[in-house]
Amino acid sequence: NAGVTQTPKFQVLKTGQSMTLQCAQDMNHEYMSWYRQDPGMGLRLIHYSVGAGITDQGEVPNGYNVSRSTTEDFPLRLLSAAPSQTSVYFCASSPQTGTIHGYTFGSGTRLTVV
Amino acid sequence: ILNVEQSPQSLHVQEGDSTNFTCSFPSSNFYALHWYRWETAKSPEALFVMTLNGDEKKKGRISATLNTKEGYSYLYIKGSQPEDSATYLCARNTGNQFYFGTGTSLTVIP
């Protein structure tokens, strides 16, 4: 049981490049989400999904796309990277919304955009 | 955005000292309050989830209390050890989304 797996752990992009951050969970969790963590700002929600085929925007969605074709996978796409997207990205999952279950977090992806 | 605030932002204590910090949140539409422990270079790990006013949870030397009417939760660490050094995050669960505080960074000095 691997939990939540994020890849890559580190990435450096040039401004304007695109890339996909991968997130996979093997716990059959319905709810998956992406957060970014910036100094002094805490964890901010980018996008989330309550189940396969369903996604929605969080607090800071601009510049990012997501899809949820399977229960297990929830990739985050950066369309045209900008220096403002330099951050640490965390994927998190939970059995479902509307419950008291907390998150299981991935190990994070440190992204630098130059 | 429903703000969750944590204080203090950072804290240095001597090994063996007991300490506590605060999480404040809007008391309306309360569903659950979560505490996480976040060590450097790792991902946040769940400590407690609390739902009822007056809830108290304990895990070893760490405990937490909840007041949903006034909108705050306290985390206590008794007899701090260097391995307790981490950032402690609280998050308000509205049933649909989590709103995280910015955390309290604890450093325990040997």
Side-chain angles (χ1 to χ4, degrees), chain B residues 79-96:
Chain B
S80 303
Q81 299 297 308
E83 57 265 31
D84 296 329
S85 296
T87 296
Y88 292 84
L89 280 179
C90 69
R92 178 168 179 267
N93 177 358
T94 63
N96 291 320

mmCIF file with all atom_site columns, all heavy atoms in Angstrom, chain B residues 79-96:
data_model
loop_
_atom_site.group_PDB
_atom_site.id
_atom_site.type_symbol
_atom_site.label_atom_id
_atom_site.label_alt_id
_atom_site.label_comp_id
_atom_site.label_asym_id
_atom_site.label_entity_id
_atom_site.label_seq_id
_atom_site.pdbx_PDB_ins_code
_atom_site.Cartn_x
_atom_site.Cartn_y
_atom_site.Cartn_z
_atom_site.occupancy
_atom_site.B_iso_or_equiv
_atom_site.pdbx_formal_charge
_atom_site.auth_seq_id
_atom_site.auth_comp_id
_atom_site.auth_asym_id
_atom_site.auth_atom_id
_atom_site.pdbx_PDB_model_num
ATOM 1   N N   . GLY B 1 79 ? 6.454   18.160 28.035 1.00 0.00 ? 79 GLY B N   1
ATOM 2   C CA  . GLY B 1 79 ? 7.831   17.661 28.064 1.00 0.00 ? 79 GLY B CA  1
ATOM 3   C C   . GLY B 1 79 ? 8.442   17.554 26.673 1.00 0.00 ? 79 GLY B C   1
ATOM 4   O O   . GLY B 1 79 ? 8.838   16.474 26.238 1.00 0.00 ? 79 GLY B O   1
ATOM 5   N N   . SER B 1 80 ? 8.544   18.689 25.971 1.00 0.00 ? 80 SER B N   1
ATOM 6   C CA  . SER B 1 80 ? 8.984   18.690 24.569 1.00 0.00 ? 80 SER B CA  1
ATOM 7   C C   . SER B 1 80 ? 10.327  17.989 24.395 1.00 0.00 ? 80 SER B C   1
ATOM 8   O O   . SER B 1 80 ? 11.241  18.138 25.213 1.00 0.00 ? 80 SER B O   1
ATOM 9   C CB  . SER B 1 80 ? 9.094   20.134 24.066 1.00 0.00 ? 80 SER B CB  1
ATOM 10  O OG  . SER B 1 80 ? 7.879   20.810 24.217 1.00 0.00 ? 80 SER B OG  1
ATOM 11  N N   . GLN B 1 81 ? 10.437  17.260 23.298 1.00 0.00 ? 81 GLN B N   1
ATOM 12  C CA  . GLN B 1 81 ? 11.660  16.564 22.917 1.00 0.00 ? 81 GLN B CA  1
ATOM 13  C C   . GLN B 1 81 ? 12.132  17.088 21.553 1.00 0.00 ? 81 GLN B C   1
ATOM 14  O O   . GLN B 1 81 ? 11.317  17.569 20.768 1.00 0.00 ? 81 GLN B O   1
ATOM 15  C CB  . GLN B 1 81 ? 11.411  15.067 22.835 1.00 0.00 ? 81 GLN B CB  1
ATOM 16  C CG  . GLN B 1 81 ? 10.964  14.446 24.143 1.00 0.00 ? 81 GLN B CG  1
ATOM 17  C CD  . GLN B 1 81 ? 12.034  14.565 25.210 1.00 0.00 ? 81 GLN B CD  1
ATOM 18  O OE1 . GLN B 1 81 ? 13.185  14.197 25.000 1.00 0.00 ? 81 GLN B OE1 1
ATOM 19  N NE2 . GLN B 1 81 ? 11.640  15.100 26.369 1.00 0.00 ? 81 GLN B NE2 1
ATOM 20  N N   . PRO B 1 82 ? 13.424  16.973 21.262 1.00 0.00 ? 82 PRO B N   1
ATOM 21  C CA  . PRO B 1 82 ? 13.914  17.458 19.958 1.00 0.00 ? 82 PRO B CA  1
ATOM 22  C C   . PRO B 1 82 ? 13.151  16.861 18.776 1.00 0.00 ? 82 PRO B C   1
ATOM 23  O O   . PRO B 1 82 ? 12.951  17.553 17.768 1.00 0.00 ? 82 PRO B O   1
ATOM 24  C CB  . PRO B 1 82 ? 15.387  17.029 19.953 1.00 0.00 ? 82 PRO B CB  1
ATOM 25  C CG  . PRO B 1 82 ? 15.766  17.035 21.408 1.00 0.00 ? 82 PRO B CG  1
ATOM 26  C CD  . PRO B 1 82 ? 14.529  16.565 22.137 1.00 0.00 ? 82 PRO B CD  1
ATOM 27  N N   . GLU B 1 83 ? 12.696  15.634 18.895 1.00 0.00 ? 83 GLU B N   1
ATOM 28  C CA  . GLU B 1 83 ? 11.949  15.017 17.781 1.00 0.00 ? 83 GLU B CA  1
ATOM 29  C C   . GLU B 1 83 ? 10.553  15.616 17.592 1.00 0.00 ? 83 GLU B C   1
ATOM 30  O O   . GLU B 1 83 ? 9.887   15.316 16.597 1.00 0.00 ? 83 GLU B O   1
ATOM 31  C CB  . GLU B 1 83 ? 11.835  13.496 17.966 1.00 0.00 ? 83 GLU B CB  1
ATOM 32  C CG  . GLU B 1 83 ? 11.181  13.063 19.254 1.00 0.00 ? 83 GLU B CG  1
ATOM 33  C CD  . GLU B 1 83 ? 12.186  12.753 20.356 1.00 0.00 ? 83 GLU B CD  1
ATOM 34  O OE1 . GLU B 1 83 ? 13.263  13.375 20.380 1.00 0.00 ? 83 GLU B OE1 1
ATOM 35  O OE2 . GLU B 1 83 ? 11.865  11.878 21.194 1.00 0.00 ? 83 GLU B OE2 1
ATOM 36  N N   . ASP B 1 84 ? 10.120  16.461 18.512 1.00 0.00 ? 84 ASP B N   1
ATOM 37  C CA  . ASP B 1 84 ? 8.852   17.167 18.340 1.00 0.00 ? 84 ASP B CA  1
ATOM 38  C C   . ASP B 1 84 ? 9.004   18.367 17.416 1.00 0.00 ? 84 ASP B C   1
ATOM 39  O O   . ASP B 1 84 ? 8.004   18.979 17.026 1.00 0.00 ? 84 ASP B O   1
ATOM 40  C CB  . ASP B 1 84 ? 8.303   17.664 19.686 1.00 0.00 ? 84 ASP B CB  1
ATOM 41  C CG  . ASP B 1 84 ? 7.950   16.527 20.622 1.00 0.00 ? 84 ASP B CG  1
ATOM 42  O OD1 . ASP B 1 84 ? 7.555   15.446 20.138 1.00 0.00 ? 84 ASP B OD1 1
ATOM 43  O OD2 . ASP B 1 84 ? 8.080   16.719 21.855 1.00 0.00 ? 84 ASP B OD2 1
ATOM 44  N N   . SER B 1 85 ? 10.238  18.711 17.087 1.00 0.00 ? 85 SER B N   1
ATOM 45  C CA  . SER B 1 85 ? 10.472  19.863 16.205 1.00 0.00 ? 85 SER B CA  1
ATOM 46  C C   . SER B 1 85 ? 9.805   19.613 14.859 1.00 0.00 ? 85 SER B C   1
ATOM 47  O O   . SER B 1 85 ? 10.091  18.623 14.176 1.00 0.00 ? 85 SER B O   1
ATOM 48  C CB  . SER B 1 85 ? 11.968  20.094 16.006 1.00 0.00 ? 85 SER B CB  1
ATOM 49  O OG  . SER B 1 85 ? 12.590  20.434 17.224 1.00 0.00 ? 85 SER B OG  1
ATOM 50  N N   . ALA B 1 86 ? 8.908   20.506 14.485 1.00 0.00 ? 86 ALA B N   1
ATOM 51  C CA  . ALA B 1 86 ? 8.126   20.367 13.250 1.00 0.00 ? 86 ALA B CA  1
ATOM 52  C C   . ALA B 1 86 ? 7.228   21.591 13.136 1.00 0.00 ? 86 ALA B C   1
ATOM 53  O O   . ALA B 1 86 ? 7.180   22.432 14.040 1.00 0.00 ? 86 ALA B O   1
ATOM 54  C CB  . ALA B 1 86 ? 7.270   19.102 13.289 1.00 0.00 ? 86 ALA B CB  1
ATOM 55  N N   . THR B 1 87 ? 6.522   21.671 12.021 1.00 0.00 ? 87 THR B N   1
ATOM 56  C CA  . THR B 1 87 ? 5.450   22.650 11.889 1.00 0.00 ? 87 THR B CA  1
ATOM 57  C C   . THR B 1 87 ? 4.132   21.955 12.155 1.00 0.00 ? 87 THR B C   1
ATOM 58  O O   . THR B 1 87 ? 3.886   20.858 11.645 1.00 0.00 ? 87 THR B O   1
ATOM 59  C CB  . THR B 1 87 ? 5.457   23.276 10.484 1.00 0.00 ? 87 THR B CB  1
ATOM 60  O OG1 . THR B 1 87 ? 6.659   24.005 10.299 1.00 0.00 ? 87 THR B OG1 1
ATOM 61  C CG2 . THR B 1 87 ? 4.272   24.213 10.303 1.00 0.00 ? 87 THR B CG2 1
ATOM 62  N N   . TYR B 1 88 ? 3.304   22.580 12.977 1.00 0.00 ? 88 TYR B N   1
ATOM 63  C CA  . TYR B 1 88 ? 2.015   22.013 13.339 1.00 0.00 ? 88 TYR B CA  1
ATOM 64  C C   . TYR B 1 88 ? 0.931   22.828 12.639 1.00 0.00 ? 88 TYR B C   1
ATOM 65  O O   . TYR B 1 88 ? 0.803   24.039 12.849 1.00 0.00 ? 88 TYR B O   1
ATOM 66  C CB  . TYR B 1 88 ? 1.842   22.002 14.864 1.00 0.00 ? 88 TYR B CB  1
ATOM 67  C CG  . TYR B 1 88 ? 2.797   21.017 15.508 1.00 0.00 ? 88 TYR B CG  1
ATOM 68  C CD1 . TYR B 1 88 ? 4.104   21.391 15.792 1.00 0.00 ? 88 TYR B CD1 1
ATOM 69  C CD2 . TYR B 1 88 ? 2.409   19.708 15.772 1.00 0.00 ? 88 TYR B CD2 1
ATOM 70  C CE1 . TYR B 1 88 ? 5.006   20.485 16.338 1.00 0.00 ? 88 TYR B CE1 1
ATOM 71  C CE2 . TYR B 1 88 ? 3.312   18.798 16.326 1.00 0.00 ? 88 TYR B CE2 1
ATOM 72  C CZ  . TYR B 1 88 ? 4.603   19.191 16.594 1.00 0.00 ? 88 TYR B CZ  1
ATOM 73  O OH  . TYR B 1 88 ? 5.497   18.286 17.122 1.00 0.00 ? 88 TYR B OH  1
ATOM 74  N N   . LEU B 1 89 ? 0.190   22.134 11.781 1.00 0.00 ? 89 LEU B N   1
ATOM 75  C CA  . LEU B 1 89 ? -0.839  22.763 10.959 1.00 0.00 ? 89 LEU B CA  1
ATOM 76  C C   . LEU B 1 89 ? -2.212  22.412 11.487 1.00 0.00 ? 89 LEU B C   1
ATOM 77  O O   . LEU B 1 89 ? -2.445  21.259 11.863 1.00 0.00 ? 89 LEU B O   1
ATOM 78  C CB  . LEU B 1 89 ? -0.782  22.221 9.526  1.00 0.00 ? 89 LEU B CB  1
ATOM 79  C CG  . LEU B 1 89 ? 0.236   22.720 8.537  1.00 0.00 ? 89 LEU B CG  1
ATOM 80  C CD1 . LEU B 1 89 ? 0.063   21.970 7.225  1.00 0.00 ? 89 LEU B CD1 1
ATOM 81  C CD2 . LEU B 1 89 ? 0.098   24.203 8.302  1.00 0.00 ? 89 LEU B CD2 1
ATOM 82  N N   . CYS B 1 90 ? -3.108  23.390 11.467 1.00 0.00 ? 90 CYS B N   1
ATOM 83  C CA  . CYS B 1 90 ? -4.502  23.036 11.695 1.00 0.00 ? 90 CYS B CA  1
ATOM 84  C C   . CYS B 1 90 ? -5.284  23.337 10.426 1.00 0.00 ? 90 CYS B C   1
ATOM 85  O O   . CYS B 1 90 ? -4.874  24.161 9.607  1.00 0.00 ? 90 CYS B O   1
ATOM 86  C CB  . CYS B 1 90 ? -5.093  23.759 12.896 1.00 0.00 ? 90 CYS B CB  1
ATOM 87  S SG  . CYS B 1 90 ? -5.321  25.516 12.702 1.00 0.00 ? 90 CYS B SG  1
ATOM 88  N N   . ALA B 1 91 ? -6.386  22.645 10.259 1.00 0.00 ? 91 ALA B N   1
ATOM 89  C CA  . ALA B 1 91 ? -7.213  22.820 9.075  1.00 0.00 ? 91 ALA B CA  1
ATOM 90  C C   . ALA B 1 91 ? -8.679  22.702 9.470  1.00 0.00 ? 91 ALA B C   1
ATOM 91  O O   . ALA B 1 91 ? -9.064  21.798 10.220 1.00 0.00 ? 91 ALA B O   1
ATOM 92  C CB  . ALA B 1 91 ? -6.878  21.780 8.018  1.00 0.00 ? 91 ALA B CB  1
ATOM 93  N N   . ARG B 1 92 ? -9.459  23.615 8.943  1.00 0.00 ? 92 ARG B N   1
ATOM 94  C CA  . ARG B 1 92 ? -10.900 23.602 9.165  1.00 0.00 ? 92 ARG B CA  1
ATOM 95  C C   . ARG B 1 92 ? -11.550 22.861 8.007  1.00 0.00 ? 92 ARG B C   1
ATOM 96  O O   . ARG B 1 92 ? -11.337 23.184 6.848  1.00 0.00 ? 92 ARG B O   1
ATOM 97  C CB  . ARG B 1 92 ? -11.408 25.032 9.237  1.00 0.00 ? 92 ARG B CB  1
ATOM 98  C CG  . ARG B 1 92 ? -12.898 25.175 9.428  1.00 0.00 ? 92 ARG B CG  1
ATOM 99  C CD  . ARG B 1 92 ? -13.206 26.616 9.780  1.00 0.00 ? 92 ARG B CD  1
ATOM 100 N NE  . ARG B 1 92 ? -14.629 26.820 9.955  1.00 0.00 ? 92 ARG B NE  1
ATOM 101 C CZ  . ARG B 1 92 ? -15.456 27.221 8.995  1.00 0.00 ? 92 ARG B CZ  1
ATOM 102 N NH1 . ARG B 1 92 ? -14.992 27.452 7.796  1.00 0.00 ? 92 ARG B NH1 1
ATOM 103 N NH2 . ARG B 1 92 ? -16.741 27.389 9.241  1.00 0.00 ? 92 ARG B NH2 1
ATOM 104 N N   . ASN B 1 93 ? -12.320 21.860 8.357  1.00 0.00 ? 93 ASN B N   1
ATOM 105 C CA  . ASN B 1 93 ? -13.024 21.043 7.370  1.00 0.00 ? 93 ASN B CA  1
ATOM 106 C C   . ASN B 1 93 ? -14.478 21.501 7.352  1.00 0.00 ? 93 ASN B C   1
ATOM 107 O O   . ASN B 1 93 ? -15.186 21.378 8.351  1.00 0.00 ? 93 ASN B O   1
ATOM 108 C CB  . ASN B 1 93 ? -12.881 19.570 7.783  1.00 0.00 ? 93 ASN B CB  1
ATOM 109 C CG  . ASN B 1 93 ? -13.635 18.606 6.890  1.00 0.00 ? 93 ASN B CG  1
ATOM 110 O OD1 . ASN B 1 93 ? -14.323 19.010 5.962  1.00 0.00 ? 93 ASN B OD1 1
ATOM 111 N ND2 . ASN B 1 93 ? -13.507 17.325 7.177  1.00 0.00 ? 93 ASN B ND2 1
ATOM 112 N N   . THR B 1 94 ? -14.934 22.035 6.204  1.00 0.00 ? 94 THR B N   1
ATOM 113 C CA  . THR B 1 94 ? -16.317 22.500 6.121  1.00 0.00 ? 94 THR B CA  1
ATOM 114 C C   . THR B 1 94 ? -17.241 21.403 5.591  1.00 0.00 ? 94 THR B C   1
ATOM 115 O O   . THR B 1 94 ? -18.421 21.647 5.374  1.00 0.00 ? 94 THR B O   1
ATOM 116 C CB  . THR B 1 94 ? -16.432 23.722 5.190  1.00 0.00 ? 94 THR B CB  1
ATOM 117 O OG1 . THR B 1 94 ? -16.053 23.321 3.863  1.00 0.00 ? 94 THR B OG1 1
ATOM 118 C CG2 . THR B 1 94 ? -15.551 24.859 5.660  1.00 0.00 ? 94 THR B CG2 1
ATOM 119 N N   . GLY B 1 95 ? -16.678 20.238 5.336  1.00 0.00 ? 95 GLY B N   1
ATOM 120 C CA  . GLY B 1 95 ? -17.447 19.157 4.726  1.00 0.00 ? 95 GLY B CA  1
ATOM 121 C C   . GLY B 1 95 ? -17.146 19.042 3.247  1.00 0.00 ? 95 GLY B C   1
ATOM 122 O O   . GLY B 1 95 ? -17.178 17.951 2.686  1.00 0.00 ? 95 GLY B O   1
ATOM 123 N N   . ASN B 1 96 ? -16.845 20.174 2.619  1.00 0.00 ? 96 ASN B N   1
ATOM 124 C CA  . ASN B 1 96 ? -16.509 20.180 1.207  1.00 0.00 ? 96 ASN B CA  1
ATOM 125 C C   . ASN B 1 96 ? -15.045 20.506 0.952  1.00 0.00 ? 96 ASN B C   1
ATOM 126 O O   . ASN B 1 96 ? -14.457 20.032 -0.007 1.00 0.00 ? 96 ASN B O   1
ATOM 127 C CB  . ASN B 1 96 ? -17.357 21.213 0.454  1.00 0.00 ? 96 ASN B CB  1
ATOM 128 C CG  . ASN B 1 96 ? -18.801 20.798 0.378  1.00 0.00 ? 96 ASN B CG  1
ATOM 129 O OD1 . ASN B 1 96 ? -19.098 19.637 0.167  1.00 0.00 ? 96 ASN B OD1 1
ATOM 130 N ND2 . ASN B 1 96 ? -19.692 21.742 0.559  1.00 0.00 ? 96 ASN B ND2 1
#
